[in-house]
Amino acid sequence: MERQLLSGTYLEGYTASPATARMSHHGGAMCKVAVTGGQDVLAKSGAMVAYDGFLQYEPVSQTLRRTLGEWASGERTPLLRWFGDGTLYLADFGADVLNLQLDDESLSVNGSHLLALDASLGCTVEKVKGPALLAGTGLYNVTVSGSGWVSVTSRGVPVVLDCAEAETYVDPDALVAWTTGLEIRTRRTLKVGSLIGRGSGEAMQLGFTGAGFVVVQPSEDTSDRLRLRG
């Protein structure tokens, strides 16, 4: 009887489903990665919640570790390389997951929001410059470039806004990622003194223009503003 209950409709929507892409969703807060031989994936350390098939992992290479030196804390490496054949499930404390397929593009990501990426993509840590420094993303961002899949997290369901249609304004504290090469400028709409006790996003925004997009989360958490990635 118990076996019948487990195999019935009680588990509908919760059991594993066939992978439809390299990176896909299982629910809103889990990334499902189809790993095959020769197509390794780099995932945030500690993000694995389950896997099936024959998968193994190892720390990233010494070369990549040096490249990501500013992002690492001490000798700890923020990414693990997963390889083999199977399905890998990733999550980050229940945060919403957004999977993006880059086509010869470059994406600047708040490092704390980077969940996974194809190992074939370029991955470097770069100092945030110009108006983007006002974003609540710390001093360094991770730049992912090339053609392939990348998975990012968001505090709540994110929105992806196309900046080619019109100049797009974003609350700096809600910014998750943006296409590199976009023109960025600041815009102040109200006097700061009139917003005492309120968030800064209403007083100042970041404007993005060009061929690309921005990823915005429905949260204005500034806990990362004054610290480096780690």
Side-chain angles (χ1 to χ4, degrees):
M1 182 65 178
E2 181 179 359
R3 181 63 180 175
Q4 183 177 0
L5 288 174
L6 290 175
S7 62
T9 59
Y10 292 92
L11 296 181
E12 185 176 351
Y14 295 95
T15 55
S17 58
T20 57
R22 164 69 162 173
M23 292 186 182
S24 55
H25 290 91
H26 182 80
M30 195 175 295
C31 174
K32 179 170 58 178
V33 186
V35 184
T36 58
Q39 294 187 353
D40 300 351
V41 63
L42 302 180
K44 186 174 185 178
S45 178
M48 185 277 292
V49 293
Y51 67 86
D52 59 34
F54 182 75
L55 293 181
Q56 295 177 288
Y57 68 89
E58 63 185 12
V60 296
S61 67
Q62 291 289 337
T63 300
L64 182 57
R65 189 177 306 167
R66 286 193 295 270
T67 302
L68 299 175
E70 297 92 339
W71 191 28
S73 175
E75 297 182 355
R76 183 176 64 85
T77 300
L79 297 175
L80 296 176
R81 179 184 294 270
W82 287 83
F83 56 94
D85 289 282
T87 304
L88 177 65
Y89 294 87
L90 304 169
D92 190 13
F93 295 99
D96 281 81
V97 171
L98 173 65
N99 301 317
L100 300 165
Q101 186 174 21
L102 302 183
D103 182 13
D104 195 22
E105 297 171 286
S106 184
L107 191 68
S108 183
V109 186
N110 177 327
S112 63
H113 289 278
L114 182 60
L115 183 63
L117 68 149
D118 280 337
S120 59
L121 289 170
C123 183
T124 59
V125 172
E126 297 183 6
K127 192 170 184 178
V128 180
K129 300 177 182 179
L133 277 171
L134 296 175
T137 59
L139 298 177
Y140 293 91
N141 258 22
V142 179
T143 300
V144 179
S145 56
S147 296
W149 287 88
V150 58
S151 181
V152 300
T153 59
S154 166
R155 297 183 182 94
V157 180
V159 62
V160 180
L161 301 173
D162 187 353
C163 303
E165 298 294 329
E167 186 167 21
T168 302
Y169 295 94
V170 175
D171 180 338
D173 295 329
L175 183 60
V176 171
W178 66 89
T179 305
T180 62
L182 291 174
E183 182 180 345
I184 307 175
R185 70 183 184 94
T186 59
R187 180 184 185 188
R188 187 182 297 275
T189 52
L190 292 173
K191 293 181 179 180
V192 177
S194 65
L195 291 170
I196 295 176
R198 298 173 62 186
S200 63
E202 292 84 359
M204 181 176 293
Q205 304 92 44
L206 291 177
F208 292 84
T209 308
F213 59 88
V214 294
V215 180
V216 182
Q217 66 180 4
S219 170
E220 298 174 301
D221 191 337
T222 59
S223 60
D224 290 334
R225 177 182 287 279
L226 297 178
R227 68 178 178 87
L228 302 181
R229 294 290 171 269

